Structures are given as C-alpha cells and as structure tokens.
Amino acid sequence: MTAMTEKSNNQKIHILLTQPVPEPIDQIMAREYEIHRLYQADNPENMLAEIGLLIQGVVTGGARGLPREIMAQLPQLKIIAISGIGTDAVDLDLAARRDIYVTTTPQVLTDDVADMAMGLIITTLRRMSEAEHVVRTGRWPDTTLPLARKVSGARLGIIGLGQVGLAIARRAEAFSMPIAYTSLAPRDDVDYPFMADIHALARSVDVLVLAASADGGQVIVDAPVLDALGPEGYFINVARGKLVDEAALVNALQQRQIAGAGLDVFAAEPRVPEALFSLPNVTLQPHRASATEQTRILMGQRVLENLAACFNGQQPPHRV
Ligand code: 8YV
C-alpha cells in the first residue's frame, strides 16, 4: 500500500487513534502517518487540546465511534475511518455538513459475527458456560446439571436480514433450523418467511437473534417483544446493546420470562449490568464478534485503504 501521505514539507499527516489496531496494521500506520494514541493518553482532554488542530484523520471502532464534542475539537478533520461496520456512534449528518468522509470495513467481518451468533446460540441453549463452570470449579462429581435445550431443529427468528443476518441464516440451515425474519423490508432473494410484526416473529420462534443496524437509534427489543418470545424462548444479540431495553431484558431473565440470552453487546459498554453475572441462563461476551486476528487484519487493511484514498485526493472505497 503506497499512500502519498507525506506533505511537501515532509510533515506526516496526523491521525488520532481511539483504540488499538493489530500490530502489523499499527506498524504500517505509524510508518505512513503521525499517530496520536488517545487510548493511551493519561489525560485525553489535554491531549486533544494539544493536538486537535493538527488531526486530519480519526481511526476508531464501530461501537466507539466519535463523540460530537471530540469532532468539534478537530477543525481539520477529513475522514473518520471506522474499523467496523456500525456507523451509529458517529453523527453522519454533521460529518456530511463538514465534508468529512465516514468509512467502514464491510464484508470482511460478516463471517466472524455470524460465527459468534451461532456460538452464542449453541453455548446458551446447551448451557455450556454453566456446565464449564461446574467442571472448572471441581464440582462435577457432585453436580447434576439440568438438561439443556436442543439446538438442531430449533426455530430461528432473525431481526435484520442484512449481510450478517443472512450469514447467520445460512449457518442455521446446516442445523436444520427453520428460519423466519423481520427487516425494514422483505428481501426478494431469499425464501425465508418475512414477518413485518416483530411480536408475531418473537411468538413463533425458539431463538430470536438481533442482527440489525443501529443507525435508526431506537430500541427494537423491549418488554413486549421479550414477553412474546416467552419462557421457552432465547434471545441472542450480536448487533448493539442500545437496540434493547436492557433493564427489561435483565428483568425478563431474572423472572424467567424468557429461557436465556447470549449477549456480545451491551447498552453502555464496557459496563455490563451486574445482575447478569450470577444468572446461569446467560452467556456473556465482551463485544468480541469480529475479534479474530484474521478478521481484524483485514479490517485494518480496509482502514488503511480508506485513509490512503482520502489523503491522495480520491474518494475512499468504503465511504458511507
Ligand atoms: C467491532 C463492531 O468490534 O463492526 C462493528 O460495528 O461493533 C465490531 O465489529 C468494533 O468496531 C471494534 O473495532
């Protein structure tokens, strides 16, 4: 990748990095640009006050995005390069008004997120976290675990049949899971039944997976949806925590109004409602769906491509 990132006076372009990227990507980035690591700053506010005027590019994650207050401190900003697919934590209108490119890393993380969804389905229905805990704590000899829920053949409802939702559906087919979905609009390239009413979908399935974009910003899974899912139903979230009424979810799990949940995302990451820690019917992951070495490197390469295009006066290939 040859980016003409050196200015004529040999000054490198200044980039603000809000979170780490894989080492090989970091090395290229640090060679081509002047990197400022916000995530390592003892006092991020001081750092922004010092270097904000210099910054022309921000590299950030999908969940982290870029708060408006920070954007306001970066008057020369030309690109917000998200290492991820979610743009919900960036004010896209404001970016457009300021002629700032917002770019993502599409396609390359689809498989990983779908794999995580399947992992959460299997781990949660088969009560694997609870059972592993029994083994790890030496309690197998005197413990009788409750029987688990069979995964193969369980009815799956998908909220949001975009690339990730579709990749989950394809995997679930191999588990003989009947699939139905709800989405902003039905797709004309799949045979899965479309249900416009999310409550009807939740009532008719054993497992409800949330794979929708959070760009709309509103809560999709609330108490009535969980109520419709019912005491035999499982909820899985690989999208965004803010799409869920988290208090209602915790309550539904505590009261066994639903059977269990597998969660990779939360409303106020990295904070997780403590009430979930002691519940045996949940699987908890710290937002790891795309966190494989292979995928994060591909995501990093896309970030580099987007930066290089922007600073070479071209349109970044993965702008939104
Ligand atoms: C990443 C994500 O974990 O794609 C997204 O929007 O939330 C995740 O894939 C995140 O972007 C971390 O960089």
Side-chain angles (χ1 to χ4, degrees), residues 19-20 60-64 82-88 105 109 113 239-240 264-265 287-291 296 299:
Q19 60 185 38
T60 188
R64 196 174 301 265
I82 297 171
S83 181
I85 48 172
T87 54
D88 50 289
T105 61
L109 49 74
V113 183
R240 285 285 186 268
D264 184 47
V265 287
H287 200 147
R288 294 270 293 171
S290 68
R296 285 287 167 86
M299 290 162 73

Side-chain angles (χ1 to χ4, degrees), residues 52-58 66-80 90-102 310:
L53 293 177
L54 301 172
I55 298 295
Q56 295 193 50
V58 168
L66 189 65
R68 281 182 210 90
E69 313 80 77
I70 299 188
M71 247 169 118
Q73 291 175 267
L74 313 176
Q76 295 215 65
L77 189 60
K78 293 190 173 51
I79 180 168
I80 302 168
V90 172
D91 186 334
L92 295 180
D93 291 337
L94 178 60
R97 280 200 300 279
R98 284 185 50 189
D99 281 330
I100 297 168
Y101 287 120
V102 178
C310 171

